[in-house]
Amino acid sequence: MADPIERKIEQRLLAGDSKKTIWQQMQQEPEPEKALFYLNNKAALKERLSYQLINLGLALVLAFITAKELITVFSFGRLDVAFLTGLVVPIINIYILKEILRFHRLGYQYLFVLTAISLILPKNHAPLELSLSLLLIAASGFLYLRLFPNQLTR
């Protein structure tokens, strides 16, 4: 369940309030640092509406890659250590998918960094995997820069 401060910020952002206005009112909260973190981690309504199609495309590509990984893991039909370690990447992808669908800054950062690191693996050098990985890197970097141009500071 989400923190009450996070829920309050999400409601205000979806109502169209600016981040600066919300921050000015949230500074009097008992935990202003937590409010600042949540406020910096969420995209404003205007940016969400502007980039929702690109975000949906990014989510679909990530869901495709996750499904492909899950099919590969379950295709061997054995419950062993390799099966359990094979589930790590899809679980992380599902978490990142949840974060980017909620327009959270950390999701875009994680996706950018982890996809760039995944290029080290030889299995990601095939043409399809390489092109999808480069697409994920470009789209997550673009959305991160557009959705979160600056951060509020205390």
Side-chain angles (χ1 to χ4, degrees), residues 2-46:
D3 191 342
I5 296 173
E6 182 181 10
R7 272 190 256 125
K8 188 185 297 186
I9 289 172
E10 182 72 22
Q11 289 171 351
R12 301 277 313 274
L13 284 171
L14 291 176
D17 294 347
S18 73
K19 287 185 172 186
K20 287 184 181 182
T21 305
I22 297 170
W23 173 237
Q24 289 170 353
Q25 294 173 351
M26 297 295 281
Q27 284 180 339
Q28 282 66 34
E29 289 286 326
E31 299 176 286
E33 294 83 17
K34 191 185 277 191
L36 183 62
F37 170 78
Y38 289 132
L39 199 53
N40 282 330
N41 194 39
K42 295 183 178 289
L45 181 63
K46 179 182 170 192

Side-chain angles (χ1 to χ4, degrees), residues 32-62:
E33 294 83 17
K34 191 185 277 191
L36 183 62
F37 170 78
Y38 289 132
L39 199 53
N40 282 330
N41 194 39
K42 295 183 178 289
L45 181 63
K46 179 182 170 192
E47 285 82 14
R48 288 183 189 197
L49 294 174
S50 297
Y51 297 106
Q52 68 184 3
L53 289 177
I54 298 171
N55 195 60
L56 184 60
L58 178 67
L60 289 174
V61 171
L62 184 58

Side-chain angles (χ1 to χ4, degrees), residues 72-79 83:
T72 302
V73 168
F74 283 107
S75 67
F76 294 109
R78 292 190 341 222
L79 185 61
F83 172 79

Side-chain angles (χ1 to χ4, degrees), residues 120-139:
I120 295 171
L121 295 173
K123 73 176 188 175
N124 291 331
H125 295 173
L128 176 64
E129 285 78 8
L130 183 62
S131 61
L132 290 176
S133 294
L134 293 175
L135 178 66
L136 285 177
I137 291 170

